[in-house]
Amino acid sequence: MSKFLWGGAVSSSQYEGGYPRIRTSLDTQDCRAYIPRTSNATTSTRLLTIDRVLSAKDDAEHQKYPFRTGSKGIEFVKEDVELLKELGINIFRFSISWTFLLPDNKNINPKAVEYYDYLINELKGSGIKIFLMLNHYAVPLDLVLNIGGWKNRKMIDHYLYFVRKVFELWGEKIDFFVPINEINAGYFSPYNGVGLIKEIDKDYNQSDIFKSLHHQFVASAKTIELAKNMGLNAKSGSMIACFCYYPYSCKPIENLKLTLDENLHQWFCMDVLSRGYYPSYIKVYFKKNNIDFEITDEDINVLKNNTCDFVSFSYYQSGVISEQEEEKTAGNLVITTKNPYLVATEWGWQIDPIGLRTTLNRIYDRYQKPVIICENGLGYQDKLNSDNTINDQYRIDYLNQHFEQIKLAQEDGVDVISYIMWGVIDIVSAGSCEMTKRYGVIYVDADNNGNGSYKRYKKDSFKWYKDFIKKENEKE
Ligand code: BG6
């Protein structure tokens, strides 16, 4: 049995920063302003309208837009890499910024090559495996404004051009790759997920959403095909956000609702990518809801012949499906019914370590492929003490409880091969644009308005995770 891989992750838009000095071209995330939170819901910061995008585009007050600065990763990369090495992780997940690498969608930016060369070579040189998320939410803004983002089929070719460049530069060094982050996010969060701009006072057009997702499926399959044609050894994966739904009661009708909602919200995208075809339930859903878009014979073949090697998912909370309107709470991407048996974070996300074990069992049972938990962690407003310590026992407890459930899932027979902690270095929150929703074991000294030294400090959880990984590695 190969060694279990314990890791950490960040994404380019949430971590790197560098705009406009080093990274010169805007992406979709760069247009999202920080708006102080008045409730748990993050829709106002996530679903952008055209007037907000256009005013952000021409706004030179960069500090208002947290993703332009991120955690200043480009500036602090040397220090961060040393901290990751010290932490002893076996695998690091990150994404490549499309606009950093190809500012005009064509020519390679040497500064980006220098940055990613350093990151990849340093990690590989220390025996840390590379998990590359080819695209994590951020797409070039000009492609959204000029061609409409993923709803335009031309986006597949633009994306594949970018992927080809990435593979040519670093393909040999990648251990695992996933084409699109949390692919089912497009359904819940169309601006982040598929680059769709919201029309004021109108709901998103469902055909646009599913057409965009279809283009992402084809792009994903073509990425796997390209990796095979280029002879890369990297394992290919797909990723969804998982919500571990429970029925509110044991009423049969509520359980049926759970099955149907879960298919649509969670499994649909992975069913297509892992099995290679559209499941029958979604075809029925399309028909009932007049959802229509083009699926060519070539699309069908490319999906069939290029399924993923492993399945991966993010997991932050479980949810509840109720037939009647019950009290609601927030979660990653979704609003869900409150579960009286669980406690929630300040953002309303219901903490449920057992739900992780359940999810691992369900996903493995459904796809029978190796599983990677590629995102999990606790968002919390940590406090930096005057002596530069951060006492985050709550995060240690959270991690410990989730790790216990991973072990139990392994005993259940699940082939789970890796755990990758989200936001191992504090980053800007993708949902709420807050810097103070922290996930890391490494603290970044910055606030929601971009003030601070951006210096890095080790939290108590840093030592705990480090010791944990060391002991695990010694065992095997
Ligand atoms: C996932 C995203 O949805 O959840 C990450 O892939 C994100 O980018 C993570 O950061 C946690 O969500 P948030 O809103 O707390 O940043």
Side-chain angles (χ1 to χ4, degrees):
M1 210 169 71
S2 39
K3 201 169 113 182
F4 190 89
L5 304 168
W6 297 96
V10 295
S11 78
S12 57
S13 70
Q14 294 169 268
Y15 169 71
E16 289 169 2
Y19 185 86
R21 215 167 43 84
I22 307 175
R23 201 164 52 83
T24 52
S25 181
L26 285 173
D27 64 37
T28 40
Q29 297 301 298
D30 293 322
C31 294
R32 297 178 57 209
Y34 163 62
I35 303 171
R37 188 159 42 100
T38 50
S39 76
N40 282 334
T42 56
T43 44
S44 61
T45 63
R46 278 195 289 122
L47 307 177
L48 266 61
T49 50
I50 189 68
D51 52 345
R52 281 185 50 204
V53 173
L54 292 177
S55 72
K57 180 174 170 265
D58 298 324
D59 194 345
E61 270 188 63
H62 305 302
Q63 219 170 330
K64 269 178 23 197
Y65 303 94
F67 298 98
R68 298 185 189 184
T69 310
S71 318
K72 295 201 176 172
I74 297 178
E75 222 170 286
F76 282 82
V77 67
K78 292 199 171 143
E79 192 173 334
D80 288 344
V81 164
E82 290 313 309
L83 284 164
L84 293 174
K85 288 186 201 168
E86 184 186 335
L87 185 59
I89 51 172
N90 315 118
I91 183 166
F92 187 61
R93 173 190 152 184
F94 62 97
S95 58
I96 303 268
S97 163
W98 188 338
T99 52
F100 187 20
L101 185 66
L102 302 173
D104 59 357
N105 276 316
K106 197 159 178 254
N107 296 297
I108 290 183
N109 174 1
K111 284 189 187 149
V113 176
E114 192 189 326
Y115 168 78
Y116 292 115
D117 263 349
Y118 178 83
L119 183 65
I120 292 171
N121 292 339
E122 281 295 314
L123 295 172
K124 285 297 273 188
S126 303
I128 299 173
K129 295 204 184 291
I130 305 288
F131 182 119
L132 190 64
M133 180 59 65
L134 281 153
N135 185 235
H136 191 125
Y137 290 164
V139 295
L141 185 64
D142 62 348
L143 291 181
V144 169
L145 294 176
N146 298 335
I147 69 166
W150 281 102
K151 75 168 185 266
N152 189 329
R153 189 174 270 273
K154 285 191 190 133
M155 192 75 172
I156 301 173
D157 290 336
H158 285 289
Y159 170 84
L160 282 164
Y161 179 83
F162 159 72
V163 170
R164 181 178 282 282
K165 295 292 166 207
V166 173
F167 282 169
E168 281 167 2
L169 285 159
W170 302 291
E172 298 293 334
K173 295 176 180 165
I174 301 168
D175 298 285
F176 302 89
F177 73 84
V178 168
I180 308 271
N181 178 62
E182 282 184 337
I183 197 158
N184 53 334
Y187 177 72
F188 302 101
S189 197
Y191 181 77
N192 282 358
V194 286
L196 288 184
I197 295 177
K198 189 168 163 52
E199 280 184 54
I200 304 167
D201 296 334
K202 256 194 180 175
D203 279 340
Y204 280 100
N205 175 318
Q206 290 293 295
S207 289
D208 281 352
I209 290 182
F210 285 99
K211 179 165 48 165
S212 303
L213 286 172
H214 177 70
H215 294 153
Q216 289 193 333
F217 298 155
V218 174
S220 300
K222 287 193 168 181
T223 300
I224 295 176
E225 185 178 51
L226 179 65
K228 286 193 276 198
N229 290 344
M230 290 176 75
L232 303 185
N233 287 323
K235 296 276 178 227
S236 65
S238 303
M239 177 194 178
I240 50 170
C242 280
F243 313 118
C244 190
Y245 286 141
Y246 303 118
Y248 187 71
S249 74
C250 47
K251 275 196 251 163
I253 191 72
E254 213 144 50
N255 198 42
L256 175 70
K257 181 165 168 41
L258 179 153
T259 304
L260 300 178
D261 283 3
E262 194 174 65
N263 278 347
L264 179 65
H265 295 179
Q266 181 174 291
W267 299 127
F268 153 58
C269 298
M270 189 63 91
D271 283 352
V272 177
L273 295 172
S274 182
R275 294 171 172 170
Y277 56 89
Y278 272 75
S280 48
Y281 63 79
I282 204 74
K283 291 184 185 161
V284 172
Y285 180 84
F286 288 167
K287 207 166 188 183
K288 279 190 184 159
N289 292 281
N290 298 318
I291 293 167
D292 195 20
F293 55 89
E294 184 193 37
I295 301 181
T296 66
D297 288 347
E298 194 211 332
D299 295 347
I300 292 171
N301 279 330
V302 86
L303 288 171
K304 188 168 132 225
N305 296 326
N306 298 285
T307 54
C308 53
D309 297 326
F310 67 89
V311 291
S312 64
F313 67 97
S314 64
Y315 174 79
Y316 292 95
Q317 82 281 326
S318 58
V320 174
I321 296 291
S322 55
E323 200 203 349
Q324 316 252 322
E325 214 29 46
E326 304 290 344
E327 197 185 346
K328 298 282 183 225
T329 189
N332 182 28
L333 302 170
V334 290
I335 304 285
T336 183
T337 297
K338 247 190 184 164
N339 184 334
Y341 302 102
L342 298 175
V343 291
T345 69
E346 192 187 319
W347 287 265
W349 300 18
Q350 312 188 101
I351 301 172
D352 182 4
I354 293 177
L356 178 58
R357 179 177 174 187
T358 308
T359 302
L360 283 165
N361 273 279
R362 286 194 189 156
I363 201 166
Y364 186 55
D365 180 44
R366 196 165 179 118
Y367 303 111
Q368 298 286 301
K369 291 183 181 180
V371 185
I372 295 184
I373 304 156
C374 70
E375 266 191 43
N376 168 256
L378 177 68
Y380 203 95
Q381 301 216 39
D382 301 324
K383 188 173 157 282
L384 179 66
N385 301 320
S386 51
D387 61 354
N388 292 336
T389 58
I390 302 99
N391 310 123
D392 59 342
Q393 185 59 42
Y394 39 86
R395 181 167 292 107
I396 295 173
D397 294 341
Y398 177 101
L399 294 173
N400 202 12
Q401 287 160 12
H402 283 75
F403 293 178
E404 276 169 13
Q405 296 302 319
I406 297 172
K407 302 241 153 115
L408 291 170
Q410 285 179 311
E411 287 173 24
D412 296 334
V414 176
D415 185 16
V416 48
I417 58 171
S418 177
Y419 170 91
I420 304 181
M421 180 204 286
W422 182 244
V424 64
I425 302 163
D426 288 346
I427 49 175
V428 177
S429 154
S432 66
C433 303
E434 289 163 296
M435 187 66 212
T436 52
K437 187 180 187 191
R438 301 169 181 281
Y439 285 88
V441 298
I442 298 163
Y443 186 91
V444 174
D445 175 33
D447 69 13
N448 291 332
N449 297 302
N451 302 309
S453 66
Y454 285 82
K455 276 195 186 150
R456 282 40 179 163
Y457 298 103
K458 292 178 219 169
K459 303 182 192 176
D460 288 353
S461 56
F462 183 96
K463 181 175 182 319
W464 183 86
Y465 195 30
K466 177 180 168 177
D467 291 346
F468 174 87
I469 297 172
K470 187 163 179 281
K471 276 194 216 123
E472 286 294 301
N473 287 344
E474 282 164 3
K475 262 193 225 162
E476 292 169 24

